[in-house]
Amino acid sequence: AAEPGTLPWFNTVVYPLLKDGRADGEVGAFASCPMYQCCNEGVYCDNGDNVITHVRLSGMGLSGTLPPILSQMTSIVHFMVFRTDISGTIPTAIAAWTLIEEFHVYDNALEGTLPTELSAWNAIMEFYVRGNALLGGTLPSEFGAWTNLDRLETDNTRMSGTLPTEIGAWTVARIFEVSNNLLSGTLPTEIGQWRRMI
């Protein structure tokens, strides 16, 4: 069975939907809830399949860490938990979110590095981790697989190293914010393939 995490909001809002241990964030008894809402504000579902597709819990003063059990929400499309006090690391387990399109966890207190496993997010379009002052490491070269990426913001973190040449594959990218980091080296010539930058 699923175990609760350390986030108060997770324990009261998301965990009750997952506690039976069923995969894919199935909500079962919540099927009669209003369309796109699993009877809990900020957690929305596709009532046709009874799966969690959106989590929007931002600016609510939340604290704690992101529990690996979130990986059970394999139908998640939008995960927006920004401008809160979320700390700890980004769990590698959420690489299971292969349908994710928007991941917004900016202006939190996250630390550690960006898991290379997230390269499995083939549908990702927006990736915002800016404003996490303790988030470091390098931008993984594996993220070059994100060929649908439209916007990436990693500014105001402690990311370091050089930008990988593989990001040249982000040919549909329009916004690329990496200022106020500890990056070094030069811009890869491969980004000359970016034709849509704003």
Side-chain angles (χ1 to χ4, degrees), residues 42-195:
V43 179
Y44 302 86
C45 298
D46 176 340
N47 271 7
D49 295 327
N50 298 326
V51 293
I52 299 171
T53 56
H54 298 69
V55 172
R56 297 175 180 169
L57 298 164
S58 301
M60 299 171 64
L62 306 176
S63 61
T65 59
L66 296 174
I69 191 181
L70 290 174
S71 64
Q72 288 193 20
M73 299 189 299
T74 54
S75 292
I76 194 81
V77 177
H78 297 163
F79 186 79
M80 300 183 177
V81 184
F82 53 87
R83 292 180 181 154
T84 66
D85 292 316
I86 304 301
S87 59
T89 61
I90 298 173
T92 59
I94 64 172
W97 293 352
T98 54
L99 299 179
I100 190 78
E101 294 179 359
E102 298 180 12
F103 183 71
H104 295 194
V105 292
Y106 59 88
D107 294 343
N108 280 304
L110 293 170
E111 58 187 57
T113 61
L114 298 177
T116 58
E117 290 85 353
L118 302 188
S119 61
W121 289 359
N122 295 325
I124 192 72
M125 298 174 65
E126 297 182 5
F127 186 80
Y128 294 178
V129 295
R130 70 173 187 263
N132 286 284
L134 298 178
L135 186 66
T138 61
L139 184 63
S141 60
E142 291 85 352
F143 286 6
W146 291 353
T147 54
N148 293 307
L149 190 70
D150 181 67
R151 305 174 182 215
L152 179 133
E153 297 186 6
T154 64
D155 45 310
N156 296 301
T157 65
R158 293 187 58 81
M159 294 193 66
S160 59
T162 59
L163 294 173
T165 59
E166 287 81 358
I167 66 174
W170 297 346
T171 55
V172 297
R174 293 188 300 163
I175 295 177
F176 181 67
E177 291 280 357
V178 294
S179 59
N180 296 318
N181 283 310
L182 301 175
L183 294 170
S184 58
T186 59
L187 292 174
T189 58
E190 287 79 2
I191 68 173
Q193 302 174 77
W194 296 356
R195 304 296 186 189

